[in-house]
Each structure stands twice: as C-alpha cells, then as structure tokens.
Amino acid sequence: MTLVKPRAILFDWDNTLVDTWPLIHTAMNVTMRHMGQPEWSYERIRNEVKHSMRDSFPTLFGERWQEAGAHYQQSYRALHLEQLTPLPGVTAMLESIAPDIFLGVVSNKQAPTLRLELAHLGWQKYFKVAVGATDAPRDKPHPDPVLFALRDSGIAPAADVWFVGDTGADLGAAQATGCTPVLYGEQDVPETNGEYDGYPFAVHVRDHEALKALITANF
C-alpha cells in the first residue's frame, strides 16, 4: 500500500497509546478466579485479548458472560487510574501532528472507561472524538466504530484516513472502511507480505518515535 497525506488519523487506545497489558492481565485473572476458570498467562493475554467484551466474553463465559464482564470492569477500574501509563514518546508524537489533521480514538475498551482514562491523562485537547465499545452498533474489526468516529467530521473514510493500531481488529476496521492501516508495536511480522493476523497493513512502526517521523514525513 502507498501512504497518502492524512486528513485524519484514528488511533487504537490500549497498547497503542497507553500500556495497559499489566492492568488487563491482572483484571482478567481476578475474573477467571471469580468464574472458577484457570488463570491466563501474560503471553496468552497479549495474544488473545483483541476483541470487545461483548464479542469475546460470551465465548469465554457462556450465559454468565455479563456477570464476568461486571467483575472484570470492577477489577480493572480499581487499578487503572493509578497505574495507567502512556507509552514512551506518545506525547511528543501527538504534539507534532499538524492542528488541521482530525484526530480520534477508536477502541474496543468500554466507552465510559476509555473516556475516563482520556480525561485522567488530560488528552482531550488532542482528540476530536473518542469511540469505545458499544458506542456503535458493532465493535472493531467491524466498520461501525470508524464510521461513527468520522460521522460529524466532514471526512469520508478513505486512504487519507490512517488507522493506527496494534491488532488485527484495528487493521480489519481500517480495511473494512477503506482507510490506511498502520500497524503499531514491537511484534514481529512478515514485512514482505504486509499482513498481520490475516489483515494487510500499509506500514509497520515499532515505537512512537518512528510513528512521529512517519506522520511528519507525510504532512
């Protein structure tokens, strides 16, 4: 894929802008114990936690998935504001983006929790919109949350809208809407075929210094 100058950039939240794997790991295993299931390793959490609660918990917990979801949310929220950590270089990256570029967050995190974390970090000044799970009819990798994020922007989803994220769900949402998928993170991927989790990406950046350089090079 060829990069075009972005009119808008949409970012995933968890582990794209903030480091929440330790929080997710802790809250998930508190939930597993409550539900009488074996705990998950940190590696399994990183490999398998990609989709929203309403898409993944029914498979994991069956008819009790809403109980599990409530317990997970309680466990996560007991920790998150104290331990929420921006990824290195993210503030400098956001500060470097031209003010005429529309910025948004599109996450599979529960919407109230997402907006609470955004406010806690004081990052509302960077983003015109923050879309979380259940804001749109379906969550990533479906196109709905991307369309929801852009609906009042005057910008149609196209190649000049970049979607930056660390999972196949992010790349899938970009692909489903015709946006440019940018894979973020330290994961090893086969750069030669440009696919990750079965989804194509235009470019892979490993940290926010590289992402900053990529964005400023394409202003």
Side-chain angles (χ1 to χ4, degrees), residues 1-4 158-164 174-175 178-182 202-203:
M1 293 185 181
T2 301
L3 289 175
V4 298
D160 60 0
V161 177
W162 293 10
F163 196 117
V164 182
Q175 182 183 32
C179 298
T180 295
V182 177
V203 64

Side-chain angles (χ1 to χ4, degrees), residues 3-4 7 14 17 22 45 63 67 82 93-94 129 139 159 165 182 184 217:
L3 289 175
V4 298
R7 295 181 64 200
D14 288 313
L17 296 178
I45 292 286
E63 293 181 356
E67 175 191 349
E82 290 183 2
M93 181 275 296
L94 291 171
V129 66
D139 304 318
V182 177
Y184 173 85

Side-chain angles (χ1 to χ4, degrees), residues 15 20-33 39-46 49 72 75-76 79:
N15 307 302
T20 55
W21 283 127
L23 289 165
I24 294 169
H25 183 233
T26 298
M28 193 68 173
N29 281 334
V30 169
T31 304
M32 287 295 188
R33 291 194 297 270
E39 295 186 13
W40 285 17
S41 68
Y42 189 76
E43 181 180 6
R44 183 176 180 183
I45 292 286
R46 293 196 60 155
V49 175
Y72 175 88
S75 302
Y76 183 90
L79 302 169

Side-chain angles (χ1 to χ4, degrees), residues 132-172:
T134 73
D135 277 338
R138 297 175 297 177
D139 304 318
K140 299 180 298 186
H142 296 290
D144 306 32
V146 172
L147 301 176
F148 189 90
L150 295 174
R151 64 179 183 168
D152 296 324
S153 69
I155 300 171
D160 60 0
V161 177
W162 293 10
F163 196 117
V164 182
D166 68 316
T167 72
D170 303 313
L171 303 180

Side-chain angles (χ1 to χ4, degrees), residues 42-75:
Y42 189 76
E43 181 180 6
R44 183 176 180 183
I45 292 286
R46 293 196 60 155
N47 288 337
E48 298 190 25
V49 175
K50 300 174 184 179
H51 298 284
S52 67
M53 184 180 294
R54 67 173 168 179
D55 288 339
S56 60
F57 271 39
T59 300
L60 291 173
F61 302 109
E63 293 181 356
R64 297 177 63 198
W65 77 270
Q66 290 177 315
E67 175 191 349
H71 201 81
Y72 175 88
Q73 285 297 308
Q74 181 182 26
S75 302

